[in-house]
Amino acid sequence: MYIIRLDDACEKRDIKKWDRIEKILDKYNVKAIVGIIPNCKDPDMDKYLIDDDFWKLVKKWQDKGWIIALHGYEHVFCTQECGINPVNNYSEFAGVSLEEQKQKISKGVGKLKEHGIEAQIFFAPAHTFDENTVTAVKECSDIRIISDTIAYDKYLGEDGMTYIPQQSGRVRKLLFKTVTFCYHPNLMDEDAFNELENFLEENRSSFSEINLAQSERKLNLLDKLLSAIYFKRRRKK
């Protein structure tokens, strides 16, 4: 099963690119997981115009079956920690106190609810989070699914959260049971859009409805081996 995940949806974004990727996904009837930054203060986003209709758009995404995810709170990296998913050495969450993380999650969920939006998944900016993040999500929201980590298929963590693994930043054929392709529409170029559309055209049948039920599967030796290989190769780059 293939999943498309879209990061960094907020009021300040490249509207044309987001419109383009939505049209491509609609063409092939693919529902995405879309990560919403509730209160974006990332200076890299200041180059984009503010969309006054952004929250209406998020509501439309939700109504047509896209899965809404809470993508952090401000998208500002305040530590040099990598946490329990060491994809990057910077984070909005990893290394931050539990109390501060709980405030971020509470404010983020509250902002979405103000606009009639219910987040069903969490994923942290830069993919980096720690045990305190998981505790904050569990205590301050109804979210019980995290999109991140490397594994063969979705699984139930020892912390009681279901994890949907995220293994690639572009579409390609991978032999995992569940594969999440993570895209940042703001940063996509012409080649990335064309590659995505060609892959969807050839592999549409592998993109099914995203199952949000809690998993009962636990991590096994294969999962741990895949994760170890992935992060070993990443450290060599």
Side-chain angles (χ1 to χ4, degrees):
M1 175 183 176
Y2 292 143
I3 297 170
I4 297 292
R5 167 180 144 179
L6 306 178
D7 285 32
D8 301 348
C10 61
E11 292 163 299
K12 295 183 288 184
R13 70 193 190 288
D14 191 318
I15 295 174
K16 289 184 178 180
K17 290 184 178 181
W18 276 90
D19 287 348
R20 182 173 179 182
I21 201 166
E22 181 176 3
K23 288 176 182 177
I24 291 173
L25 295 178
D26 285 350
K27 179 179 178 180
Y28 298 98
N29 194 30
V30 171
K31 312 297 185 185
I33 299 173
V34 57
I36 311 300
I37 308 171
N39 187 40
C40 184
K41 293 187 178 180
D42 186 337
D44 289 341
M45 304 292 189
D46 289 342
K47 60 187 174 184
Y48 303 119
L49 297 175
I50 295 176
D51 179 8
D52 293 330
D53 293 324
F54 172 69
W55 292 105
K56 293 179 182 177
L57 176 63
V58 178
K59 189 67 166 59
K60 185 188 80 170
W61 288 340
Q62 179 176 264
D63 290 345
K64 73 177 180 180
W66 284 23
I67 307 301
I68 305 301
L70 178 66
H71 185 36
Y73 180 54
E74 295 178 337
H75 208 274
V76 174
F77 306 117
C78 54
T79 77
Q80 294 181 323
E81 302 290 334
C82 58
I84 57 180
N85 190 50
V87 175
N88 295 294
N89 292 318
Y90 48 89
S91 186
E92 181 182 5
F93 287 88
V96 176
S97 71
L98 175 59
E99 188 56 38
E100 186 174 346
Q101 293 202 48
K102 289 170 68 173
Q103 291 178 10
K104 289 174 183 281
I105 299 300
S106 294
K107 290 179 180 179
V109 170
K111 183 69 174 289
L112 267 60
K113 286 185 176 180
E114 287 176 12
H115 296 279
I117 308 300
E118 291 288 339
Q120 295 176 282
I121 292 177
F122 173 84
F123 52 85
H127 309 273
T128 47
F129 60 99
D130 60 15
E131 291 87 351
N132 281 342
T133 316
V134 178
T135 299
V137 171
K138 290 171 66 176
E139 292 186 5
C140 301
S141 77
D142 295 326
I143 297 170
R144 293 297 179 268
I145 300 174
I146 290 177
S147 165
D148 257 320
T149 70
I150 305 300
Y152 174 74
D153 193 10
K154 64 185 290 190
Y155 64 92
L156 181 66
E158 294 183 0
D159 51 27
M161 297 291 280
T162 290
Y163 288 82
I164 300 176
Q166 192 277 297
Q167 305 99 330
S168 180
R170 63 178 180 84
V171 285
R172 50 184 170 148
K173 289 191 175 181
L174 293 172
L175 299 178
F176 306 122
K177 186 172 182 180
T178 299
V179 179
T180 303
F181 303 116
C182 176
Y183 277 92
H184 296 73
N186 293 323
L187 305 178
M188 290 176 69
D189 59 17
E190 188 69 21
D191 288 342
F193 280 110
N194 290 335
E195 180 185 51
L196 173 61
E197 181 157 15
N198 290 337
F199 189 89
L200 290 175
E201 186 172 10
E202 294 175 4
N203 300 278
R204 171 63 193 92
S205 61
S206 296
F207 291 84
S208 56
E209 292 292 326
I210 301 169
N211 182 1
L212 295 178
Q214 292 293 292
S215 178
E216 296 183 358
R217 191 185 81 91
K218 300 294 183 67
L219 281 174
N220 59 30
L221 184 59
L222 175 60
D223 297 305
K224 295 175 182 178
L225 179 61
L226 291 171
S227 181
I229 292 172
Y230 174 88
F231 287 112
K232 184 177 181 179
R233 291 181 61 186
R234 188 175 182 86
R235 285 193 293 270
K236 288 183 177 180
K237 292 182 179 181

